[in-house]
Amino acid sequence: MNSKILLVDDVQMFLEIEKEFFLQSSVDILTAKDGCEALDAVKTGQPDLVFMDLQMPKMDGASCCQVIKSDSTISKIPVVMITSSEKKEDRELCYSAGCDYFLTKPLDRNRFLEIARKYVPAVDRR
């Protein structure tokens, strides 16, 4: 069975870019457009890793991450937060919500895959 990675962003273009990063990998990609959808996807899909945007409608990434990390049935799932801002407050917000790692846009493909491999060995090195 393939590892599952959940990509969460309200901007379709970013979801497509991130999906493309995994084309060479034998992983299943799940997507969600906001924190509410992400929470449902985490509970039902039990992904091995979540990449989640911070700024989203309905429920932002930090709030969603906090809910994931406070639920013992899904709290072990690593969450990597992504933001377009380098602001120290955003980084602190993400880490206080319990995220496992933090990346900023624009995403560097090699760095993105390196972080993914840290949690999901099936991610291809190419």
Side-chain angles (χ1 to χ4, degrees):
M1 193 166 70
N2 286 348
S3 296
K4 289 184 273 190
I5 297 176
L6 172 62
L7 307 175
V8 188
D9 202 306
D10 57 317
V11 179
Q12 188 64 35
M13 179 190 72
F14 289 121
L15 287 176
E16 294 305 321
I17 290 169
E18 291 172 22
K19 271 200 275 192
E20 208 167 275
F21 290 164
F22 294 109
L23 282 180
Q24 303 298 321
S25 301
S26 54
V27 294
D28 294 331
I29 300 298
L30 310 170
T31 61
K33 296 205 181 298
D34 60 54
C36 297
E37 276 185 27
L39 203 50
D40 287 342
V42 169
K43 287 178 178 176
T44 58
Q46 295 282 313
D48 299 285
L49 175 61
V50 177
F51 282 97
M52 186 159 20
D53 188 39
L54 176 60
Q55 306 297 332
M56 294 184 296
K58 294 185 186 169
M59 178 191 284
D60 67 36
S63 301
C64 182
C65 181
Q66 204 162 20
V67 174
I68 291 169
K69 294 302 183 176
S70 65
D71 181 333
S72 63
T73 62
I74 53 177
S75 64
K76 296 279 185 268
I77 298 171
V79 177
V80 177
M81 296 298 301
I82 301 172
T83 181
S84 48
S85 136
E86 288 276 352
K87 285 192 282 189
K88 189 176 170 226
E89 303 84 59
D90 283 351
R91 187 176 294 258
E92 287 170 357
L93 175 66
C94 292
Y95 282 120
S96 69
C99 84
D100 296 270
Y101 205 85
F102 183 89
L103 289 170
T104 52
K105 293 176 186 172
L107 293 171
D108 175 77
R109 181 184 186 279
N110 292 333
R111 184 75 182 126
F112 187 87
L113 291 174
E114 182 185 318
I115 298 310
R117 250 190 316 281
K118 187 174 158 182
Y119 301 105
V120 180
V123 171
D124 193 76
R125 294 188 174 284
R126 272 176 269 161

